[in-house]
Amino acid sequence: MGKFGKAAFAAVLAAMVATSGAMTGGVRAQAPAQAPAAAAPATPPTARVGAAPLTKADVDAWLDGYLPYALQRGDAAGAVVVVVKDGKVLTQRGFGYADVASRKPVDPERTLFRQASISKTITWTAVMQLVEQGKIDLDRDVNAYLDFTIPARGGKPITMRNLMTHSAGFEEAQRGLNSYDPAGMPPLGAVLKRWTPTRIFDPGTTPAYSNYGTALAGYIVERVSGMPFADYAERNIFARAGMAHSSFRQPLPPSLRPLMASGYLLGSGPAGKFEMNSLSPAGALSATGADMGRFLIAHLADGGPLLKPQTEALMQRRTLGIPGLNGMALGFYEQNINGRRVLSHAGDTLAFHSQLWMFPQERLGIYFSMNAAGSDKVSGAIRSDLLDGFADRYYPAEPRDGRVDAETARLHARMMIGTYNKSRRFETTFLKVLELAGQVKVTSDGEGGIRFTPSAGLGGQVRKWVEIEPFVWRDATGRMRLAAVVENGKVVRFGLDSSPFMVFEPVSAALSTAWLTPALLLSLAALLLTALAWPVAALVRRRYGATSPLSGTALRGHRFTRAFAALAVAVFLGWFMFLQQLLSGFDNLGGQLDWALILLQLATPIIFVGLLGLSLWNAWLVWHGKRGWLARLWSIVVPLCALVLLWVAIGFHLIGFGLNF
């Protein structure tokens, strides 16, 4: 792997494990106690005082004043923006370079961008086409359409509606997801059958974003239609919408390859390779900005050539969400702003970062994509500010926030304090250990507000959240909201406003990194000192001609404990190095490091259990011998450290066998 792949993949996956900065969602069978207010109204305000004219000239002038500076400041390469209105292209613009080395400019009509998860909107459109043909039932067990079985959980099967709202309950999966090598792209059915990710939530109860779930829907499209997914998309979506420069094929067809933009981690850095996705219906689309504009036009025209009006209306209907926040439709999710209802979907590879927005009532759509992540992951903030700036300029509205009295605000802030984990997570595999750096904390600002550090703004500043309704907070300097679900006087989950396909839930005290991470670091430091003290003491004795005060069984207990302390630190260091290498590039996620994983899975229980047993034996020997107070104290410290390591290994699945992740 080159410098691009190692740095980029580690950064993106680490961000996903920790928090992508703007996550939300949630669904409950009934309204929670002390429920937040309903979501933003679908009916837009009539007053448009100060609105700029929505014309090509004005939009172009506004974009010229925003994007070139934003791209330069964020060290990005290029971008494309398309705005459609009332069935026509209002404007489509390219900024910066499709290829930096050759200074090739971005052309909205001819430059292809990788769409990543925006691909899902094509998949969901295909599903809805088959729904309106009566070939797929949204509420039928998906096993009826498959040639393998997805087990039920909680006595309930998965339905297509669950898949379209990311509420099937799958945990996150990464093995074999991406590759730079076409040989690493087996047929879709083979990928899905190799391993079904564990379902960690009952269907329909908890949104947990899932690439596997979307790919499963794409495979159902293949089986019901009788043709490969890429063929189906070309015949029934691209051809009907006029998307001549779009493809799910990996690698791209020869006619499209010269049009593909280069992707970058930084605009000033090297170009990366073409990123391929084995779960192709979830993330393999390549398309021009102009083609994505045509796709938006079709959906904004009551389905246009793609869907019947009643099917489009069903697809756009809010389906689930935490009250007080934006929610999920079927495939799209809400991004309501300034009293206007907006449906959206984003997509991110290592290098390409895209988003589309639809204002259904205004019959307006916006598509945006960048071919570089930029410094400090600036692509996400640029997208967010693009929507905010557009809405404030052309659809302004006065804020209508309420306030909660100071005493209640302080009480609710205290209720929110804690450590949380997101629903999109690794739960049953060894990658759960990434939670040691990935759990998030909510704190009080001491003034009745809360702080939630992962959701930083464009300048990297920490947001301060002010309570505007019971258990609904808004960013004090912006418009993003955060809302909690409270049951029996306790916060059971909360979400952020921008992505209603995930929630945050309290972490059990036993696995909370609030205490576990510092305990682990202290334990490793103490065991390292224990291991180093053995040779250091031996060298000192040799230097001064002294002999060891220990002999026989006491000496053996002393030496074995220190040897296993060294081995335990080495095993943990081995896991760290393995994870670093595993996550350094796509090429390591297809089983290339299985040998190292097997060795670590064999060594971990032997060394950690051995250390605990030997340190307890040594403590018994110390306390039954004539040893000083320091030796007695340290004989207790070492077993406690061993217990911490063993607890981490068990709780985060470093002890266990299996090659899936």
Side-chain angles (χ1 to χ4, degrees):
M1 284 295 299
K3 184 184 295 184
F4 174 93
K6 291 183 178 180
F9 190 83
V12 171
L13 189 59
M16 181 194 71
V17 171
T19 165
S20 58
M23 306 177 213
T24 184
V27 56
R28 288 282 169 180
Q30 62 277 338
Q34 297 173 289
T43 304
T46 56
R48 293 185 56 195
V49 178
L54 186 55
T55 63
K56 174 176 171 53
D58 195 87
V59 174
D60 284 347
W62 175 71
L63 289 172
D64 286 337
Y66 171 64
L67 268 179
Y69 170 73
L71 294 177
Q72 183 179 19
R73 182 174 181 268
D75 194 6
V80 63
V81 181
V82 179
V83 182
V84 300
K85 181 76 168 74
D86 297 326
K88 299 178 181 178
V89 175
L90 182 68
T91 191
Q92 54 185 32
R93 302 284 307 282
F95 297 87
Y97 299 106
D99 184 79
V100 174
S102 65
R103 314 299 280 181
K104 181 180 179 181
V106 173
D107 182 343
E109 284 284 0
R110 295 185 59 79
T111 302
L112 271 71
F113 285 72
R114 294 292 276 161
Q115 303 302 321
S117 286
I118 288 181
S119 308
K120 293 176 173 66
T121 62
I122 304 292
T123 302
W124 303 134
T125 302
V127 167
M128 295 306 289
Q129 287 178 339
L130 296 171
V131 167
E132 73 178 18
Q133 294 172 30
K135 296 180 179 179
I136 292 178
D137 184 333
L138 289 174
D139 298 306
R140 189 179 183 186
D141 183 346
V142 296
N143 286 313
Y145 309 107
L146 297 172
D147 57 348
F148 66 105
T149 301
I150 305 292
R153 189 181 193 279
K156 297 179 181 179
I158 293 174
T159 67
M160 184 62 73
R161 193 183 301 274
N162 297 149
L163 296 178
M164 295 187 76
T165 54
H166 293 286
S167 60
F170 292 113
E171 72 171 315
E172 182 64 13
Q174 280 293 317
R175 185 181 177 109
L177 176 61
N178 298 102
S179 177
Y180 295 121
D181 182 5
M185 294 290 105
L188 178 60
V191 176
L192 293 169
K193 295 171 188 176
R194 184 189 64 79
W195 176 53
T196 302
T198 303
R199 291 168 61 206
I200 57 178
F201 304 107
D202 289 348
T205 64
T206 305
Y209 193 85
S210 174
N211 288 307
Y212 184 92
T214 306
L216 192 65
Y219 185 57
I220 290 172
V221 169
E222 285 192 351
R223 289 185 51 76
V224 170
S225 68
M227 65 180 75
F229 184 81
D231 290 350
Y232 183 95
E234 288 173 358
R235 297 183 191 181
N236 296 285
I237 296 178
F238 301 154
R240 289 161 65 173
M243 301 168 66
H245 297 95
S246 300
S247 179
F248 272 91
R249 300 189 186 279
Q250 303 176 114
L252 285 169
S255 62
L256 295 180
R257 290 177 197 173
L259 307 181
M260 186 67 222
S262 300
Y264 302 85
L265 182 59
L266 297 174
S268 60
K273 300 177 183 179
F274 185 80
E275 306 165 44
M276 289 178 283
N277 190 307
S278 64
L279 300 177
S280 56
L285 176 65
S286 299
T288 63
D291 273 8
M292 295 309 300
R294 295 179 181 102
F295 181 68
L296 285 171
I297 287 173
H299 274 285
L300 289 163
D302 294 327
L306 299 178
L307 297 170
K308 296 177 181 178
Q310 58 269 32
T311 308
E312 184 69 42
L314 174 61
M315 191 175 187
Q316 294 187 14
R317 186 180 304 156
R318 178 183 170 105
T319 302
L320 63 84
I322 287 180
L325 294 182
N326 295 329
M328 282 291 301
L330 289 179
F332 296 101
Y333 52 84
E334 293 178 327
Q335 293 273 267
N336 301 330
I337 186 169
N338 289 0
R340 313 270 169 170
R341 185 163 191 259
V342 181
L343 295 173
S344 181
H345 210 293
D348 298 270
T349 69
L350 303 185
F352 291 89
H353 304 272
S354 311
Q355 192 149 2
L356 57 79
W357 300 272
M358 297 192 301
F359 292 65
Q361 291 181 301
E362 289 72 26
R363 298 174 70 86
L364 178 136
I366 308 169
Y367 168 77
F368 172 77
S369 185
M370 294 171 56
N371 62 332
S375 57
D376 298 320
K377 307 183 194 102
V378 74
S379 59
I382 289 176
R383 283 182 295 189
S384 177
D385 279 25
L386 180 73
L387 175 64
D388 290 351
F390 186 94
D392 288 345
R393 184 172 182 84
Y394 300 108
Y395 298 110
E398 293 296 324
R400 301 174 182 174
D401 286 348
R403 282 293 183 268
V404 174
D405 66 89
E407 183 179 351
T408 300
R410 285 192 292 269
L411 171 63
H412 291 175
R414 288 196 297 271
M415 293 173 64
M416 285 290 294
I417 293 173
T419 305
Y420 295 82
N421 201 6
K422 65 186 188 309
S423 56
R424 182 191 186 186
R425 63 178 183 260
F426 304 101
E427 183 62 26
T428 67
T429 73
F430 65 87
L431 284 182
K432 184 177 174 63
V433 75
L434 296 176
E435 285 182 27
L436 290 173
Q439 293 176 12
V440 297
K441 294 177 176 60
V442 176
T443 60
S444 171
D445 65 3
E447 300 174 356
I450 60 175
R451 294 191 183 277
F452 178 57
T453 52
S455 55
L458 182 59
Q461 73 278 11
V462 176
R463 300 179 193 267
K464 177 181 177 181
W465 301 86
V466 177
E467 194 168 13
I468 58 174
E469 297 176 26
F471 295 104
V472 180
W473 290 262
R474 189 185 295 278
D475 174 15
T477 59
R479 50 170 52 87
M480 188 183 295
R481 294 173 299 174
L482 180 155
V485 175
V486 179
E487 295 179 352
N488 300 320
K490 294 184 178 181
V491 173
V492 296
R493 60 176 51 181
F494 74 86
L496 294 176
D497 215 10
S498 56
S499 306
F501 42 73
M502 280 182 275
V503 293
F504 291 90
E505 298 180 322
V507 176
S508 67
L511 294 180
S512 173
T513 57
W515 72 271
L516 200 50
T517 298
L520 174 63
L521 294 175
L522 289 172
S523 296
L524 289 171
L527 291 174
L528 182 61
L529 286 174
T530 302
L532 292 176
W534 182 17
V536 169
L539 288 173
V540 170
R541 287 194 300 271
R542 181 175 181 179
R543 172 69 175 81
Y544 292 101
T547 59
S548 173
L550 301 177
S551 61
T553 304
L555 180 59
R556 287 194 296 273
H558 178 83
R559 288 177 173 176
F560 275 126
T561 298
R562 276 142 185 80
F564 268 71
L567 289 172
V569 173
V571 166
F572 231 98
L573 181 61
W575 274 109
F576 177 81
M577 295 174 64
F578 166 74
L579 290 168
Q580 186 180 49
Q581 187 63 29
L582 180 74
L583 305 182
S584 68
F586 293 154
D587 294 338
N588 296 326
L589 289 170
Q592 294 81 352
L593 298 177
D594 284 354
W595 63 271
L597 177 57
I598 292 171
L599 287 176
L600 285 168
Q601 289 177 335
L602 289 172
T604 300
I606 294 172
I607 300 302
F608 286 8
V609 173
L611 173 61
L612 179 59
L614 287 168
S615 63
L616 289 172
W617 174 51
N618 182 67
W620 187 88
L621 293 172
V622 169
W623 282 83
H624 284 78
K626 296 179 180 180
R627 305 288 294 277
W629 67 269
L630 182 58
R632 294 192 173 198
L633 173 63
W634 209 250
S635 73
I636 296 174
V637 168
V638 175
L640 290 176
C641 294
L643 275 174
V644 171
L645 263 64
L646 190 59
W647 182 250
V648 169
I650 294 172
F652 294 94
H653 304 301
L654 299 184
I655 291 180
F657 297 98
L659 301 178
N660 292 318
F661 53 88

